[in-house]
Amino acid sequence: DAKTTQPNSMESNEEEPVHLPCNHSTISGTDYIHWYRQLPSQGPEYVIHGLTSNVNNRMASLAIAEDRKSSTLILHRATLRDAAVYYCIPDSSYKLIFGSGTRLLVRP
Amino acid sequence: DAGVIQSPRHEVTEMGQEVTLRCKPISGHNSLFWYRQTMMRGLELLIYFNNNVPIDDSGMPEDRFSAKMPNASFSTLKIQPSEPRDSAVYFCASRGLAGDTQYFGPGTRLTVL
């Protein structure tokens, strides 16, 4: 299983963009990169995933490095509701192995 | 769709008692997962079912834990006897196709006194 490294915490001001980095240098060629987040007192929820190309959806964008050893989750305009723990998870099978994630604090 | 449903949402019990946690996956999903979350160990996968069959139970802590999935719409996680170190939030998740998104339930917060 690929190992991931994420900052323990990050802070952002409301309505500003946030870039959440993740290093996954041992990722295999077939592993998708998934991002989930966990809001306080809730179960994790899916944010976005990708393989090689950058991806966009209504929640966020995912920028994947050309060598796939790192990726960045981009929240274009952080809101207070985006305060959560964000997990970067390489996934090649059924298992989601959650690391410690990045706790995002959003200042009003 | 109601999403993944878990019950109870909170459970407080005494050491030595049997605890049963319940999960109803999203209709049509054929994979079900049980996770446990603690401050010390984070989120851990306990067991994974595919088409009601346990595929990987390597995360189940010990024989006191057992999980069943008698049909596609129901699963249970049982702890017997319970111990204080079992106190945690237990999440159930379901998934449709392989490689697809996992959808998590709201969790059951278990406290064993």
Side-chain angles (χ1 to χ4, degrees), chain B residues 5 7 9 16 19-20 27 32 35-36 38 42-43 46 57 60 74 78-79 86-87 90-91 95 100 103 107:
Chain B
I5 299 172
S7 65
R9 294 293 310 277
V19 175
T20 299
S27 177
L32 184 139
Y35 292 84
R36 177 173 68 175
T38 62
L43 263 165
L46 298 178
D57 64 355
M60 295 286 266
F74 184 65
K78 185 179 293 186
I79 309 172
D86 302 329
S87 298
Y90 291 81
F91 290 103
R95 186 187 68 194
D100 201 356
Y103 294 86

Side-chain angles (χ1 to χ4, degrees), chain B residues 15-90:
Chain B
M15 183 173 63
Q17 296 299 305
E18 177 180 296
V19 175
T20 299
L21 311 181
R22 297 173 176 79
C23 175
K24 177 178 170 56
I26 292 173
S27 177
H29 282 188
N30 59 5
S31 295
L32 184 139
F33 308 81
W34 282 100
Y35 292 84
R36 177 173 68 175
Q37 186 171 34
T38 62
M39 290 292 292
M40 291 295 294
R41 299 175 67 88
L43 263 165
E44 307 172 277
L45 176 65
L46 298 178
I47 188 168
Y48 155 58
F49 290 88
N50 190 51
N51 293 323
N52 312 336
V53 176
I55 303 298
D56 182 355
D57 64 355
S58 60
M60 295 286 266
E62 50 198 89
D63 291 345
R64 297 184 298 107
F65 285 67
S66 63
K68 294 182 178 180
M69 192 164 186
N71 57 61
S73 60
F74 184 65
S75 177
T76 59
L77 178 67
K78 185 179 293 186
I79 309 172
Q80 166 64 18
S82 58
E83 296 182 3
R85 61 191 169 124
D86 302 329
S87 298
V89 180
Y90 291 81

Side-chain angles (χ1 to χ4, degrees), chain A residues 34 36 38 41-46 49 87 91 93-99, chain B residues 9 33 35 37 43 45 48 55-56 58 91 95 99-102 104-106:
Chain A
H34 292 248
Y36 282 72
Q38 187 172 20
S41 301
Q42 295 189 26
E45 65 175 356
Y46 169 81
H49 76 287
Y87 298 96
D91 173 31
S93 62
Y94 59 86
K95 278 189 174 182
L96 291 180
I97 299 177
F98 288 81
Chain B
R9 294 293 310 277
F33 308 81
Y35 292 84
Q37 186 171 34
L43 263 165
L45 176 65
Y48 155 58
I55 303 298
D56 182 355
S58 60
F91 290 103
R95 186 187 68 194
D100 201 356
T101 302
Q102 288 190 24
F104 286 76

